[in-house]
Structure formats: structure tokens, C-alpha cells
Amino acid sequence: MKNFNPIFSLKQILWMVACLLPLISCNPNKDKATDEGEPQAKTPTLQPLTTETAVDTLTAFGQENPDSIAVISTRLGDIKVRLYKDTPLHRANFVRLAKAGFYDQGEFYRVVKDFAIQGGDSDNRKLKQGAYKIPQEFNPKYYHKKGALAMARYGDERNPEKESSSHNFYIVQGTKVPLEQLRAIEAQKGFKYTPEQIKVYTTIGGEPSLDQEYTVFGEVIEGLEVVDKIAEVPVDGSKWPTELVPHKIKMVNQ
């Protein structure tokens, strides 16, 4: 997995990031029987999606599964997130993978302090999710403040539509942002931040260089201190934690 090109790159020239390459999952184990002849618990299954089936499948799944609150559990504590219902494909995709147990086989495998923590993948994957991407669902009211939950993606050269990864997500830590930097981003990208967004960026922090580049589809509502703890774990030269930070993700209500 370490030959993978991560989402997070140098925070220079507005800290724009490099592309993310989703990983290929391992084959699921076959069911086995115990010595007594009783079957073991079945390995969870997940019907793989394709580019052709993803949108219709996620749309239907989202209508039948309106869940919007999830808990991401780690050895450093729990992070509770709220998923936005007006980013329906991303919400449905996250809920579908969580309910299938896909994310219970993942970890926070990329950690960049003062930027973001990235999860979803693992070398020990058992479930396959399929080779698909999610159409971007940019919304100007959703921005990369501290605690924003967003989906990683391939870079613009091979992904000009800015479609999201099928499974790799990140949570923003960021830092407080000077007003002049926000004004420069506004001028470069041709949009305006609201007074409330400016207040959050300048007093709480985030990573505005990612705005309208990656789909934000949720936010942390409890456990920002756990995000900070994960961001502090020792990492190697590739920003991989030297001690694994596995996660389990459960939907807890609607």
C-alpha cells in the first residue's frame, strides 16, 4: 500500500494537494466450518459497484437508508460525525460502506499534522467495494473548516470532473487562517466566503485551499479532541503512523 500516491501534499501555493489513488481491496475469505461441523460466522459481503451502477445504486440505497449520524471509533477515542443530507450520493456511499462493515476493516493511514487525517483503507482489507467514483457534490455552504468530513479523489489531470474516491475519506484539522489568505483564495477561485465562514476560518481554523476542490459531506459534532490526538501520532517519512490507528464506523441514528 505504500506505493500509493496520497491526497495530502506540501502546503505551499495555497497548499493544494496531489491526487489520491484508491487502493484495490483483498479477496474475501471463503466461509469455513469448525471442527464440530458448525459453520463459523460468515464474512460480511458487499456487492461491488461500477461506474455504470454506482449512481443508481447509491440513490436507491440513500432513499431506503436516511441515516446521518455515525461514530468513528479508534484506540484514541470516538469521533461522532453528522452527514449532510444535501450531498446525497456521498452520504449514501458512506452509510452503505459503514453498514456493510467495510470501514471496520480500515484505519487512519495518512496523518499530516495541522492539515488532515485520512482513513478508509487498510492492507488487511477483506471486503471489495468495486472500482467506481462518486460525482462531486460541491456546495458553497460546506467548506473545509476544522472537523469537516470530505472525500479524497484523484488529481485534476486524470479526473477533471473532480469525482470522489469510492471509500477514502479525510477529516480536516487545519490551522487558523489569516484573512489575507482567504481573500487571495476568493480572488483565485472566484467566490466569496460568508462572514460566518471567515469567522470560523480565522478563529477556529481549517484548510480553505481545498474548498470547491473536494466534496465536503459532513462534519464532526463530537470528538474534535480525538482528531487532534490522531494528528499528533508519530509518523514515518511518508506520513504513515508508525503504530496503526484502526477505525470502526457505526451508524447510530437517523
Side-chain angles (χ1 to χ4, degrees):
M1 193 166 72
K2 290 197 176 184
N3 61 353
F4 147 88
N5 187 8
I7 181 174
F8 305 125
S9 182
L10 296 176
K11 296 177 63 180
Q12 303 293 328
I13 312 176
L14 298 180
W15 300 332
M16 295 307 296
V17 297
C19 65
L20 173 143
L21 302 179
L23 300 182
I24 299 175
S25 304
C26 301
N27 289 326
N29 292 329
K30 295 182 179 179
D31 295 339
K32 299 179 180 179
T34 64
D35 292 339
E36 290 77 18
E38 295 182 1
Q40 293 180 335
K42 291 184 177 180
T43 301
T45 59
L46 180 66
Q47 183 63 41
L49 300 184
T50 66
T51 299
E52 292 73 25
T53 63
V55 170
D56 288 345
T57 300
L58 293 176
T59 299
F61 183 90
Q63 292 170 349
E64 297 173 0
N65 297 267
D67 309 67
S68 62
I69 304 294
V71 173
I72 305 171
S73 298
T74 77
R75 62 179 173 82
L76 296 174
D78 291 349
I79 304 167
K80 182 179 284 189
V81 297
R82 177 171 63 89
L83 311 180
Y84 301 143
K85 293 190 175 181
D86 46 1
T87 52
L89 295 177
H90 285 71
R91 184 195 66 80
N93 185 71
F94 193 87
V95 173
R96 180 175 181 269
L97 294 180
K99 286 190 170 184
F102 181 90
Y103 282 136
D104 291 352
Q105 300 175 0
E107 63 195 62
F108 284 104
Y109 60 90
R110 180 75 170 162
V111 172
V112 182
K113 184 181 177 182
D114 296 331
F115 189 76
I117 59 174
Q118 184 166 307
D121 249 320
S122 174
D123 281 331
N124 301 313
R125 171 81 57 220
K126 301 296 182 183
L127 289 175
K128 289 184 177 181
Q129 84 285 359
Y132 67 96
K133 291 179 287 188
I134 310 168
Q136 59 91 351
E137 294 179 297
F138 295 160
N139 188 323
K141 68 182 180 180
Y142 300 141
Y143 58 111
H144 284 79
K145 63 184 178 181
K146 182 173 184 176
L149 172 67
M151 220 65 179
R153 67 173 177 85
Y154 284 104
D156 289 355
E157 288 188 5
R158 62 180 300 180
N159 180 26
E161 296 84 9
K162 303 183 190 297
E163 294 178 303
S164 296
S165 163
S166 61
H167 59 290
N168 288 295
F169 64 89
Y170 60 94
I171 300 174
V172 175
Q173 185 191 36
T175 57
K176 293 180 182 179
V177 184
L179 178 60
E180 56 268 26
Q181 182 180 334
L182 296 175
R183 295 306 187 201
I185 291 174
E186 288 177 329
Q188 180 192 39
K189 297 187 177 182
F191 62 73
K192 284 286 187 181
Y193 289 113
T194 67
E196 177 62 23
Q197 290 171 338
I198 290 174
K199 180 179 179 181
V200 169
Y201 269 141
T202 56
T203 61
I204 299 175
E207 188 48 71
S209 67
L210 304 180
D211 288 337
Q212 302 304 299
E213 299 290 338
Y214 298 81
T215 296
V216 175
F217 67 100
E219 62 183 271
V220 174
I221 55 176
E222 293 180 20
L224 274 176
E225 72 280 2
V226 179
V227 176
D228 290 336
K229 288 179 182 179
I230 295 173
E232 291 284 350
V233 301
V235 296
D236 63 17
S238 297
K239 302 302 181 183
W240 288 68
T242 55
E243 182 180 350
L244 294 181
V245 186
H247 55 59
K248 292 183 180 294
I249 303 180
K250 302 297 182 187
M251 306 309 302
V252 295
N253 65 32
Q254 299 179 359

